[in-house]
Amino acid sequence: MRGVLFFYLIASVWIWTGCSSTRSVPADDKLYTGTTVSVNGVSNARARKTLRSDLNDLTTPKPNTKFLGIRFQLGFYNLFYKAKPKSLFGRIRDKSGQPPVLASQLDLQKNVQLLQNYSQNKGYFRVAVTGDSVAKRKTVKAAYKVEAGDQYKIDSVHFPGDSSHLSADIRQTAKNTLLQNGKPFDLNVIKGERTRIDASLKEKGYYFFSPDYLLVKTDSTIGNHLTNMYVTVKPNIPVEAQQVYHINNVYIYTNYSLTTANLDTAKENAQFYKGYYIIQNRKRYKPRLLAESMQFKKGDIYNRTEHNFTLNRLINLDLFKFVKNRFEPSPDDSSALDAYYYLTPQQSKSLRAEFTTVTRSNNLNGSDITFSWMHRNLFRNGSHFKLSAYVGSDVQFSGALRGYNTYRTGAEMDFAMPRFVVPFFYFPTYGGYAPHTDIKLGYDILDRNKLYSLNSYRFEYGYSWKENIQKEHEFYPVSINYVQALNVTRAYDSLEKIYPGLDRAIQSQFILGSTYQFNYNQLANGLKPINAYYFNGLIDLSGNIAGAITGANVKNGDTAKIYNTPFAQYVKLETEVRYYRKLGINATWASRLDIGVGLPYGNSVEVPYIKQFFVGGSNSLRGFRSRAVGPGIYVPQDTSVIIPDQTGDIKFEINTEYRPRISGPLYGAVFLDAGNIWLVNDSRYTNKPGAQFSGKWLSQLAVDAGLGLRFDITVFVIRFDAGFPLRKPWLQNPWVINQIRLGDKHWRQNNLVYNLAIGYPF
C-alpha cells in the first residue's frame, strides 16, 4: 500500500511540475529546455562520442536543473513567482527556487562560433557547424549539426636547432614533451607544452623567461590528417629572458608590515649570518631558524623548486601571518639576483577553547570541553609549546549502557622543535617542510560510573617529517604508557564471569615501545586524478628489550614486572590501502583494505587493550554498532547486562562505496562493508571460544550494506549513513539477507544502524 501511495505521489509531482513549468514564462517568450548536438564525419566512434559530449557542455545558456527528470527548483519558483521580492514567500522563492531560463537568452550564432572554435582547437580543422531552434508549444530546444571530419594527429615534433644556450636547454627538455607522435592535435596540450618548457627553464636559472616567448607552429599540409609541430623561440625576446641567473644577496625582513613598509625594508642594522642578511629590530627570532629555512645560498643557480621550498618552509613554521618575496637584478652583477623575503609575524601566544558534541554509533551521546594555551616561538627558535586540558562525558539515555556513564579528564604538554634534535649529531634538511622533534607528556583519567576508574600516563619522544605534501613519516623511538586501575567495583568484578577477559580492560601495565608510521596520500595536494591511492603503514613494538633482559614467558607462569606492574610485549603491524576512481565528473568509487596483525609473546598473551583492533561503527562496518563484532565467532554468554567492547589482535576489513552527486553539494552513497577481528591465542589463555584466528577466517567475516547522504562543502563534510547486516558470522546460518524486513519496526530496531559523522569514512 505504501509503495502505491509513493508512486502516486511521485506521479502527481511529475504532472504538477510538467504542467506548471511555464507558468512564469512571459507571454511573448518560451522556456529554453536544452541542447542537442549531432556529430558527423568522424570515423572513430569513441572520438565522435567524446566530441559530442564536450560540445554539449559548452553551449549557453544552461537549462533549468533537473532531478529524476523533474525541474523541482523551477516548479518551486513558479509556486511563489507572484510574491513580492522582500516578502516572506519572495525570499523563500529567491533562495530555494530557480527562475525559468528563457528562449530569448539563446544566441545561436554565438554558440555556433563557440562550437566551431572548440572543434578546431581539438584538431578538427575542416569542421562546419550549423544551428537552429526547435519550438514546441511554450518550449524551445537548440539543435546543432557538426560536420567535423577526422581529427588531425601529430606526425613529428621539432625543437629549436640553433646553437644558442637557450635553444640547447630547450632541446634537453624534449624527452619529456607533451607533444607525442600519433596523439591528436590539441590546443590545450600545446599550451601545456609551453608551460612545461618554461618550468624546466626556471629550474635552470632563466628567471625572466615566460611561456609567451615560445611559439608552436603547425604544418597541416602534409596530408592524411597529419601535422608537423615546430617549437620555436619568438624573435627579438628580451636579453634578460635568455640569461641564466644565480643568487647574490639574500635579505630577510622579520618585522614587515604593510603600514610601515618603507621603514621595514631598510637595510641598515642588518645582521650577516651564514651568508644571509637578517633585518629584525626586536630580535624575535634566532638567526639559525631563518637560515635553516632558506633552501639556497649565495652563488647557487636560481631554480623555481628551491624558490617554492623556501616560501613553503617559512609558511609551515606557523610563525608568520604573511610571507612574500621578490627577486630583482643585483646592481653588483648583471647575471645575479638579489632575493628579498618579507615576513609579517603573528601573535606568538594564543588561548583557545573548544566545545564539541559527539553522537557515537553505540548510542552514547558525549560532549567535550578543551582549553589550550600555545606559545609559537618559545626560546626564539620557532619551537611550539602547547598546554591543553579537557573534560568530557559519554551518556546513554536508553539501551544496555544506560546508567554506565563515562567521564574523562586529562591534560597534555606538547613541545615541538622545527628540526631534528639528536644528541651529538646535526642533520641538515632539504625541502619545503621543516622536520619536527616532538616531546609529549600527558595524563588522563577515565571514570566509568558504577564500574571502574583508569589512570593513564603517557610520554613520547620522536620525530615527524614530510618528503613532500603527499609523503609523511613519524618515528617515535621512545613511547611509554602506564595504565593504572582504580576504584574497581564489585559489579564490574561480577561481569567477568559473564564476559571473560573484561579484566584486561583495566589491567595495570607498562607499554614500553617504539612506533614508526608512513603515510602516502595522492589527494593531499587537492587534485583529483582519475585514479588515486592512499597508503598508511604502522609498525609498533613494545617490551622487546625488557623481555629479552628478563626472559619472561607468561604462558609458563613467568610474568616479569617493573615496579610490581607487568609490561606488555608484542609486535603490531597495520596497513591501510585506499583506492579512489573517478566515474565521470560528479561520481567517485572509493574502496579500502585495512589489515592489522598484533603478535603478543613473552610477557603477554594478548596485545594491550588500548592497542587492540576493533570493527563496527561509523568509520568501519556501518551495519554494526561500534566494537560489537567478534572476535571471530565468539558470543558472550549473556548480552542483557552490558554490551562489552570486543577487541582483537588481528583485523581484516574491506569497504567499498559508490558516491554519486545528487545536486549541488549533496552526494549520495551506496556501500558494502566486510570484516572481523580475531585473537592470536586460543581460549586456554583468553576464555573466549571461537575467537582464535584460523584457516576458517574467511567464513567468519561479518558483512553489511547500506545507503548514505553526504553534504560536502569542501571545508567539511556532514555524513549520514544507514546500514544493516547481511551476514552475522556467529549464527549457525550466518547469511541473513532473507530476513531483511525494512517495513518491520521490530527488525529495524534490532538491525538498522544510523551513523551521523563529520568527514568521509575513508
Side-chain angles (χ1 to χ4, degrees):
M1 186 64 181
R2 291 181 179 178
V4 175
L5 292 175
F6 181 75
F7 172 79
Y8 279 117
L9 177 62
I10 293 296
S12 300
V13 171
W14 187 294
I15 294 171
W16 172 73
T17 54
C19 294
S20 63
S21 60
T22 59
R23 287 179 61 191
S24 59
V25 176
D28 60 344
D29 213 331
K30 296 179 184 297
L31 180 70
Y32 176 71
T33 57
T35 296
T36 60
V37 177
S38 62
V39 177
N40 300 309
V42 182
S43 58
N44 186 289
R46 184 174 182 180
R48 183 170 63 250
K49 182 179 179 181
T50 300
L51 179 61
R52 182 171 62 246
S53 176
D54 291 345
L55 296 179
N56 260 313
D57 293 336
L58 289 176
T59 58
T60 58
K62 301 300 181 185
N64 293 102
T65 57
K66 291 182 180 181
F67 176 63
L68 299 178
I70 304 174
R71 298 183 180 89
F72 283 106
Q73 288 182 288
L74 175 58
F76 194 81
Y77 180 91
N78 289 338
L79 188 63
F80 303 111
Y81 83 99
K82 291 184 177 181
K84 295 181 179 180
K86 294 185 178 181
S87 65
L88 174 62
F89 292 114
R91 288 195 297 267
I92 294 174
R93 173 201 61 204
D94 295 338
K95 184 175 182 179
S96 303
Q98 189 180 74
V101 179
L102 303 176
S104 58
Q105 299 172 246
L106 174 65
D107 188 336
L108 281 173
Q109 291 307 312
K110 180 181 177 181
N111 282 334
V112 166
Q113 190 63 46
L114 183 66
L115 300 184
Q116 186 156 329
N117 291 343
Y118 181 85
S119 300
Q120 290 175 342
N121 292 341
K122 288 295 182 180
Y124 298 95
F125 295 151
R126 300 178 180 178
V127 66
V129 182
T130 58
D132 199 359
S133 58
V134 181
K136 184 179 181 182
R137 295 182 182 178
K138 288 285 289 181
T139 64
V140 165
K141 177 176 287 189
Y144 301 93
K145 293 182 179 180
V146 180
E147 297 292 337
D150 282 334
Q151 190 176 24
Y152 277 71
K153 296 183 178 180
I154 299 172
D155 184 59
S156 62
V157 182
H158 305 272
F159 288 84
D162 61 88
S163 59
S164 68
H165 290 295
L166 177 60
S167 295
D169 285 334
I170 292 176
R171 285 196 299 272
Q172 288 180 3
T173 73
K175 61 182 179 181
N176 298 319
T177 181
L178 303 178
L179 304 175
Q180 299 291 332
N181 295 350
K183 294 293 184 180
F185 175 95
D186 191 328
L187 184 61
N188 289 331
V189 176
I190 292 174
K191 292 179 180 179
E193 174 69 1
R194 296 200 312 168
T195 302
R196 182 197 68 81
I197 293 174
D198 174 68
S200 297
L201 293 177
K202 289 292 193 296
E203 296 298 312
K204 298 181 178 182
Y206 293 91
Y207 178 77
F208 290 105
F209 195 84
S210 167
D212 293 334
Y213 296 146
L214 290 170
L215 284 176
V216 181
K217 298 179 180 180
T218 303
D219 180 6
S220 60
T221 64
I222 62 176
N224 296 323
H225 294 89
L226 296 174
T227 65
N228 289 332
M229 314 292 287
Y230 297 89
V231 180
T232 62
V233 179
K234 289 182 179 180
N236 303 320
I237 68 170
V239 174
E240 59 266 22
Q242 306 176 55
Q243 175 69 53
V244 174
Y245 287 87
H246 63 268
I247 302 298
N248 188 27
N249 296 320
V250 179
Y251 300 93
I252 306 170
Y253 297 90
T254 64
N255 303 302
Y256 181 76
S257 172
L258 293 175
T259 58
T260 58
N262 291 333
L263 296 176
D264 291 340
T265 57
K267 298 179 182 178
E268 291 80 7
N269 303 319
Q271 178 184 3
F272 187 75
Y273 180 82
K274 292 188 176 181
Y276 306 101
Y277 292 95
I278 300 173
I279 301 95
Q280 54 176 343
N281 298 327
R282 298 179 57 185
K283 306 297 182 183
R284 293 189 182 203
Y285 312 102
K286 290 184 177 180
R288 175 186 174 185
L289 171 68
L290 302 170
E292 288 178 338
S293 299
M294 297 295 110
Q295 297 302 289
F296 46 67
K297 59 184 181 296
K298 185 172 182 176
D300 287 352
I301 296 294
Y302 168 86
N303 72 78
R304 181 175 285 175
T305 296
E306 292 179 348
H307 176 178
N308 292 334
F309 278 174
T310 301
L311 290 175
N312 198 56
R313 194 148 178 158
L314 289 169
I315 292 170
N316 282 280
L317 287 175
D318 194 25
L319 299 174
F320 310 107
K321 288 182 183 178
F322 309 107
V323 176
K324 58 181 290 188
N325 86 307
R326 65 184 175 91
F327 292 87
E328 65 178 34
S330 174
D332 304 326
D333 187 345
S334 61
S335 65
L337 297 171
D338 286 341
Y340 298 83
Y341 288 88
Y342 305 104
L343 315 178
T344 303
Q346 65 172 313
Q347 291 292 330
S348 60
K349 300 175 184 177
S350 63
L351 183 64
R352 184 174 182 177
E354 296 180 6
F355 177 76
T356 59
T357 59
V358 181
T359 300
R360 304 185 190 278
S361 57
N362 55 1
N363 292 334
L364 285 171
N365 299 292
S367 61
D368 289 281
I369 301 176
T370 303
F371 298 94
S372 59
W373 177 84
M374 174 181 283
H375 194 306
R376 289 184 173 85
N377 190 31
L378 195 65
F379 307 128
R380 298 190 300 116
N381 65 358
S383 295
H384 284 43
F385 180 76
K386 182 178 181 181
L387 289 175
S388 58
Y390 74 90
V391 293
S393 64
D394 288 325
V395 179
Q396 189 179 76
F397 297 102
S398 63
L401 293 178
R402 182 180 180 182
Y404 296 95
N405 301 333
T406 301
Y407 303 96
R408 304 178 303 278
T409 305
E412 184 179 69
M413 181 209 74
D414 187 353
F415 181 59
M417 295 166 280
R419 62 187 59 85
F420 286 119
V421 179
V422 182
F424 311 113
F425 291 96
Y426 173 70
F427 290 95
T429 57
Y430 174 79
Y433 298 89
H436 287 88
T437 300
D438 298 316
I439 301 174
K440 299 180 181 180
L441 182 64
Y443 168 75
D444 304 278
I445 181 168
L446 182 145
D447 181 19
R448 296 197 68 176
N449 192 31
K450 303 179 183 179
L451 298 175
Y452 60 81
S453 297
L454 277 182
N455 275 346
S456 177
Y457 303 87
R458 295 174 283 111
F459 174 77
E460 292 180 296
Y461 181 93
Y463 312 96
S464 59
W465 69 98
K466 285 186 176 183
E467 293 183 45
N468 52 52
I469 196 170
Q470 295 180 334
K471 297 180 181 180
E472 185 172 4
H473 304 258
E474 287 186 0
F475 174 52
Y476 284 87
V478 179
S479 179
I480 301 174
N481 197 328
Y482 172 64
V483 179
Q484 178 188 34
L486 301 172
N487 305 321
V488 181
T489 65
R490 292 183 179 180
Y492 191 81
D493 286 334
S494 65
L495 291 175
E496 170 63 21
K497 299 177 182 179
I498 305 173
Y499 306 108
L502 277 186
D503 59 328
R504 293 186 54 259
I506 60 169
Q507 182 181 14
S508 297
Q509 61 180 322
F510 277 103
I511 301 175
L512 313 170
S514 304
T515 63
Y516 169 74
Q517 187 168 235
F518 170 71
N519 183 271
Y520 172 71
N521 184 3
Q522 279 191 319
L523 299 177
N525 56 9
L527 301 178
K528 295 183 178 180
I530 295 177
N531 296 293
Y533 299 90
Y534 170 98
F535 173 83
N536 191 82
L538 171 69
I539 302 175
D540 186 354
L541 310 175
S542 178
N544 301 290
I545 297 176
I549 295 174
T550 60
N553 190 334
V554 69
K555 292 183 179 181
N556 295 333
D558 184 11
T559 302
K561 297 182 179 181
I562 300 176
Y563 293 107
N564 206 34
T565 301
F567 61 86
Q569 193 172 0
Y570 64 87
V571 175
K572 177 182 175 182
L573 307 172
E574 184 174 11
T575 298
E576 180 181 356
V577 180
R578 303 176 189 175
Y579 169 68
Y580 301 92
R581 170 77 178 183
K582 285 185 66 176
L583 303 175
I585 299 176
N586 297 318
T588 303
W589 174 38
S591 300
R592 173 177 66 178
L593 175 64
D594 191 350
I595 301 175
V597 178
L599 300 176
Y601 66 100
N603 214 40
S604 302
V605 294
E606 291 184 47
V607 174
Y609 178 80
I610 61 174
K611 295 285 188 174
Q612 282 189 313
F613 304 105
F614 69 91
V615 292
S618 60
N619 294 321
S620 182
L621 305 188
R622 285 161 283 181
F624 298 90
R625 303 200 183 280
S626 179
R627 300 174 183 255
V629 177
I633 57 173
Y634 167 73
V635 180
Q637 298 177 13
D638 182 7
T639 59
S640 62
V641 182
I642 184 174
I643 300 177
D645 291 337
Q646 302 293 358
T647 57
D649 303 323
I650 299 174
K651 173 184 178 180
F652 178 88
E653 181 180 335
I654 187 169
N655 318 82
T656 191
E657 180 174 286
Y658 174 60
R659 301 168 181 170
R661 182 179 180 182
I662 298 175
S663 178
L666 184 63
Y667 290 77
V670 181
F671 59 82
L672 183 69
D673 307 314
N676 205 337
I677 53 173
W678 296 267
L679 298 178
V680 170
N681 291 303
D682 58 32
S683 58
R684 289 177 297 170
Y685 305 101
T686 63
N687 297 318
K688 293 183 178 181
Q692 186 182 21
F693 183 81
S694 68
K696 300 180 180 179
W697 67 273
L698 196 60
S699 65
Q700 297 177 354
L701 296 181
V703 182
D704 68 66
L707 303 173
L709 292 173
R710 288 91 172 86
F711 187 73
D712 186 349
I713 59 173
T714 304
V715 179
F716 66 90
V717 177
I718 298 176
R719 172 167 55 93
F720 174 77
D721 290 322
F724 52 88
L726 299 179
R727 193 174 193 276
K728 300 178 179 179
W730 55 87
L731 299 180
Q732 186 174 1
N733 297 312
W735 288 103
V736 293
I737 299 177
N738 60 341
Q739 300 176 19
I740 297 175
R741 303 288 187 272
L742 292 175
D744 187 335
K745 181 179 179 181
H746 179 73
W747 182 91
R748 294 197 303 271
Q749 288 177 341
N750 289 278
N751 294 277
L752 205 56
V753 178
Y754 301 102
N755 298 288
L756 181 64
I758 301 295
Y760 287 104
F762 51 89

